[in-house]
């Protein structure tokens, strides 16, 4: 099982977010190709993860072929686009959260115990997730390599957690996907041992220490 410690960034008011993440954030890589015969492609994907006193910070960086951004409102089919995902489960809770963010910074956020019972978070709750997105790529929008970044701040209260009394650990996984891109891919941080792509499998979650 993959494990990662999420550090606390103190004194953010004295420095910018990028510098704080570079110096104090924990780095992660999303590079597990679990279904190489059917989906061998894996764009470069990684980033930094940290927390403030009241929020979780995840800074995704992607470099690869294709850029699909068709879902331009929150709580749509973001997984079909060029997309990064974070799934999180609070200790003692059978349900888990999925946060699926496309290259435009639009988020699908839901909660449930499995794929079949997802309940989307309210528009108000989703609007409370700060996100910053940027894209660089070929001028003609055809071929070449695209580089994009999405940074999100997810309030702990959105996860049902008391920021002053956080659990020692969370469970979860980090994914890179693009179901309807020209090169469909399903890449993971912690390995997923299913016959075909399925991210909604908490038995394959890794561990995040707080």
């Amino acid at each position: 099982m993959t494990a990662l410690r999420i550090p606390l960034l103190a004194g953010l008011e004295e420095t910018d977010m990028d510098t704080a993440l570079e110096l104090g954030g924990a780095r992660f890589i999303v590079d597990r190709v679990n279904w190489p015969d059917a989906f061998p492609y894996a764009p470069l994907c990684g980033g930094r993860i940290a927390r403030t006193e009241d929020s979780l910070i995840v800074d995704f960086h992607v470099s690869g072929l294709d850029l699909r951004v068709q879902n331009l409102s929150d709580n749509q089919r973001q997984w079909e686009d060029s997309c990064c995902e974070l799934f999180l489960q609070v200790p003692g809770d059978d349900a888990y959260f999925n946060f699926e963010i496309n290259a435009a910074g639009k988020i699908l956020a839901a909660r449930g115990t499995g794929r079949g019972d997802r309940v989307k978070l309210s528009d108000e709750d989703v609007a409370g997730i700060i996100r910053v997105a940027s894209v660089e790529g070929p001028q003609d929008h055809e071929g070449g390599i695209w580089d994009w970044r999405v940074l999100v701040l997810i309030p702990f209260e959105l996860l049902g957690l008391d920021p002053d009394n956080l659990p020692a650990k969370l469970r979860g996984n980090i994914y890179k996907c693009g179901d309807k891109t020209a090169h469909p891919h399903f890449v993971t941080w912690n390995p997923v041992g299913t016959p075909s792509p399925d991210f909604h499998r908490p038995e394959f979650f890794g561990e995040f220490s707080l």
Side-chain angles (χ1 to χ4, degrees):
M1 180 181 67
T2 311
L4 188 66
R5 185 183 70 85
I6 300 178
L8 173 65
L9 297 183
L12 278 181
E13 68 279 359
E14 301 172 4
T15 186
D16 64 271
M17 182 72 72
D18 285 348
T19 300
L21 284 169
E22 178 66 15
L23 295 177
R27 301 191 180 197
F28 63 87
I29 299 293
V30 184
D31 62 355
R32 305 276 186 159
V33 179
N34 302 286
W35 306 279
D37 293 337
F39 302 101
Y41 179 61
L44 292 175
C45 180
R48 299 167 182 81
I49 188 168
R51 60 187 175 97
T52 66
E53 286 79 4
D54 57 11
S55 297
L56 180 67
I57 310 169
V58 189
D59 185 17
F60 295 99
H61 291 254
V62 179
S63 180
L65 300 171
D66 316 326
L67 185 74
R68 184 185 196 272
V69 183
Q70 297 295 318
N71 294 280
L72 297 178
S73 298
D74 291 330
N75 277 340
Q76 294 188 320
R77 301 172 68 86
Q78 268 72 21
W79 69 89
E80 295 178 349
D81 289 342
S82 300
C83 183
C84 294
E85 303 186 355
L86 174 70
F87 283 37
L88 288 173
Q89 186 174 43
V90 175
D93 193 346
D94 291 335
Y96 59 89
F97 294 87
N98 58 297
F99 299 96
E100 308 183 14
I101 310 107
N102 69 13
K106 301 303 181 182
I107 298 180
L108 166 65
R111 182 179 179 276
T113 59
R115 179 183 293 278
D117 70 342
R118 311 311 294 162
V119 176
K120 293 179 180 178
L121 274 60
S122 69
D123 291 344
E124 180 180 4
D125 283 342
V126 175
I129 302 173
I130 297 172
R131 64 302 284 263
V132 179
S134 63
V135 175
E136 295 182 5
Q139 296 300 311
D140 59 6
H141 294 263
E142 293 182 6
I145 298 297
W146 293 88
D147 295 293
W148 56 276
R149 173 191 183 188
V150 175
L151 183 147
V152 296
L153 281 83
I154 302 171
F156 286 123
E157 290 184 351
L158 189 64
L159 303 173
L161 296 175
D162 178 0
D164 296 323
N165 188 28
L166 295 174
K169 297 176 181 178
L170 299 173
R171 298 181 68 248
N173 213 337
I174 308 172
Y175 306 119
K176 173 71 189 79
C177 67
D179 292 35
K180 289 192 174 181
T181 61
H183 298 83
H185 52 278
F186 305 88
V187 193
T188 70
W189 169 69
N190 197 58
V192 175
T194 56
S196 59
D198 187 356
F199 291 168
H200 288 268
R201 299 297 290 265
E203 67 267 35
F204 296 111
F205 283 176
E207 187 174 272
F208 300 107
S209 298
L210 301 175

